[in-house]
Amino acid sequence: MLEHRLTDIEDPAIQILGQLASHVDVQEDLIHKGHIENLASLMKNRKDETSSGAILAMLSMLQYPFIRLTAIEKGVVETLVNHLKHKKKCLFAAYALSRILDHENIRKAMFELSAPDYIISAFKQGSFIGTVENEPGKEVLGRLMRNDDLRAAVLKAHTTAALCTMFKKGEAALNHAAFDFLDIISNYSDGKELIKESKMAIFHAVVAALDNQKWASQVNAAMALHALVGIRHSSERTFVMHEFQPVILEGLPRILKLLVHDRSYRVVGGAAALFALSKDGTIRARVREHADFKFARKDVHRMLDILFAAMEEGPHHHGAPHHHGALTFPDVHPMPARSPLVTSLAILSCVFYIPCGLTAMLAGWAIDGTETSHT
């Protein structure tokens, strides 16, 4: 059954096994006849179907103290923690641990094996993005974080560094995973403290992703700022948004510095960030007052002026945010390496959807050059 099982946790055979194990005489047979040991061994099998089937079967019986004690002695927790180290298996292992975390001897074994460090490592590589047993990875991570002892240990396991590394990469999936984690820990006092302590470092990591020659990285960093400041959900700002809004306002000069840089890709990164933040009236006002905005390149300055003016038109300009649907950026193909300035101007024109004389002309030329180079 275990080698060819369906992956649904409601597998009738596993349910029956769990029910039978409620009887003391069955527990004794399972232990003394070596069935628990054999099942623990199957959990290490290289075949995912066999390993996951054995894990689910074991989970169905670990509520019984006698079986649980034997299972720990046979290395069940050690196997699950080892699985946390492997990208392909770690989400399933985290799911299993989250289901048995309430047992004190399980937690003790986990801590002895440095499970919190491996949980953070799995989180850092985006392993909680997927689903397991029809359950989103965020729910699995949330269930792990509900335990006070485990959460405290995880928060001390270089969590700020992990979050910064994720945001610096400028990858949408990792940003999403980082937001999920911030959202989860913001429900707890120790999590709120970590957010307060790490928010400036996280902001700097996002800005580092803006200062990147890859357009995709810049877009994802801009989207991260858009989410952190809470523009899309301004009527119900979360703790995370409340904490990051003043940080972003204070950090605007770092973004504006990009606009006056001599490297054109950095100008694009700064402009993309301001585009993402442009629906916030306070941010628009701060930007306009800053010297670096006033001395930005003329084409960039004009684009942002037109964009800001457009945001303030209509009945929503008195402090209320504009809502024109989800924030979107154009899909820009790689431009010829010989024309970085033209590339940047083309991207700027696409971002703001505003034809601006020479910018629009150069943008068209750059795009034509790209299409020609790909033929």
Side-chain angles (χ1 to χ4, degrees):
M1 180 273 294
L2 290 175
E3 293 193 16
H4 305 285
R5 62 173 291 276
L6 298 173
T7 56
D8 191 341
I9 198 172
E10 298 299 328
D11 189 331
I14 292 176
Q15 281 190 318
I16 292 170
L17 179 62
Q19 291 169 2
L20 289 172
S22 64
H23 302 286
V24 176
D25 57 336
V26 174
Q27 293 178 25
E28 291 175 348
D29 281 346
L30 288 170
I31 293 168
H32 298 309
K33 293 183 178 180
H35 297 305
I36 298 300
E37 184 175 5
N38 291 338
L39 203 55
S41 180
L42 285 173
M43 288 172 58
K44 303 175 186 177
N45 197 285
R46 291 184 178 181
K47 290 184 179 180
D48 286 341
E49 296 86 353
T50 303
S51 174
S52 58
I55 290 171
L56 291 176
M58 186 69 78
L59 288 182
S60 73
M61 299 183 290
L62 289 181
Q63 59 186 302
Y64 308 115
F66 196 17
I67 290 180
R68 187 168 63 251
L69 182 62
T70 303
I72 293 171
E73 291 173 351
K74 301 301 179 183
V76 164
V77 178
E78 182 178 3
T79 297
L80 292 175
V81 171
N82 285 336
H83 284 184
L84 288 174
K85 305 173 189 178
H86 302 284
K87 190 167 185 177
K88 192 175 180 182
K89 294 183 175 182
C90 61
L91 182 55
F92 197 94
Y95 167 84
L97 290 169
S98 76
R99 291 291 180 185
I100 56 177
L101 191 57
D102 289 340
H103 303 297
E104 186 178 353
N105 51 358
I106 295 286
R107 291 197 304 276
K108 183 174 182 292
M110 288 174 63
F111 286 125
E112 289 174 352
L113 295 162
S114 302
D117 293 329
Y118 298 120
I119 290 171
I120 278 295
S121 295
F123 159 68
K124 184 177 174 180
Q125 64 184 4
S127 296
F128 289 92
I129 295 170
T131 60
V132 57
E133 296 299 312
N134 298 318
E135 183 172 289
K138 181 180 179 180
E139 291 187 15
V140 174
L141 184 58
R143 195 160 51 245
L144 288 169
M145 293 298 98
R146 280 184 207 138
N147 182 270
D148 293 340
D149 294 336
L150 181 61
R151 186 179 64 255
V154 166
L155 294 180
K156 292 176 182 176
H158 308 292
T159 303
T160 298
L163 287 164
C164 289
T165 298
M166 294 167 78
F167 280 116
K168 276 182 183 177
K169 289 185 177 180
E171 296 178 13
L174 291 180
N175 285 356
H176 183 73
F179 287 135
D180 282 348
F181 183 79
L182 291 172
D183 185 45
I184 289 168
I185 66 171
S186 68
N187 294 306
Y188 307 97
S189 58
D190 51 357
K192 289 178 178 178
E193 284 303 311
L194 182 129
I195 291 170
K196 290 178 180 179
E197 293 168 3
S198 63
K199 59 189 178 184
M200 189 59 73
I202 290 172
F203 171 75
H204 291 164
V206 176
V207 173
L210 286 172
D211 190 6
N212 192 302
Q213 295 191 49
K214 294 181 180 178
W215 171 235
S217 174
Q218 293 176 324
V219 166
N220 290 326
M223 295 286 280
L225 290 172
H226 183 77
L228 286 172
V229 83
I231 289 172
R232 288 179 61 188
H233 306 286
S234 56
S235 62
E236 45 180 304
R237 294 189 189 277
T238 65
F239 175 84
V240 174
M241 295 169 187
H242 275 296
E243 288 298 313
F244 274 92
Q245 188 177 43
V247 170
I248 291 172
L249 283 170
E250 182 184 337
L252 279 175
R254 290 179 64 91
I255 297 173
L256 290 166
K257 283 290 182 189
L258 298 173
L259 293 182
V260 295
H261 207 280
D262 58 351
R263 299 297 296 272
S264 52
Y265 74 86
R266 286 177 171 153
V267 177
V268 170
L274 293 180
F275 172 66
L277 297 170
S278 62
K279 290 183 181 179
D280 188 290
T282 305
I283 289 176
R284 290 197 303 271
R286 290 281 186 92
V287 169
R288 281 175 166 149
E289 293 168 359
H290 201 277
D292 284 334
F293 176 70
K294 296 173 183 176
F295 291 106
R297 213 161 53 196
K298 287 184 179 180
D299 56 342
V300 178
H301 194 291
R302 185 182 175 193
M303 284 180 175
L304 289 168
D305 262 342
I306 295 172
L307 173 68
F308 286 4
M311 289 294 170
E312 290 162 0
E313 290 176 358
H316 302 283
H317 71 281
H318 295 294
H322 241 41
H323 291 285
H324 295 300
L327 179 66
T328 57
F329 285 86
D331 183 15
V332 178
H333 298 287
M335 300 295 181
R338 65 179 181 277
S339 56
L341 175 59
V342 171
T343 298
S344 298
L345 290 172
I347 292 174
L348 282 170
S349 183
C350 290
V351 167
F352 299 114
Y353 306 100
I354 301 169
C356 295
L358 179 62
T359 303
M361 182 182 73
L362 290 173
W365 178 61
I367 293 169
D368 289 342
T370 304
E371 291 175 350
T372 302
S373 68
H374 286 206
T375 57

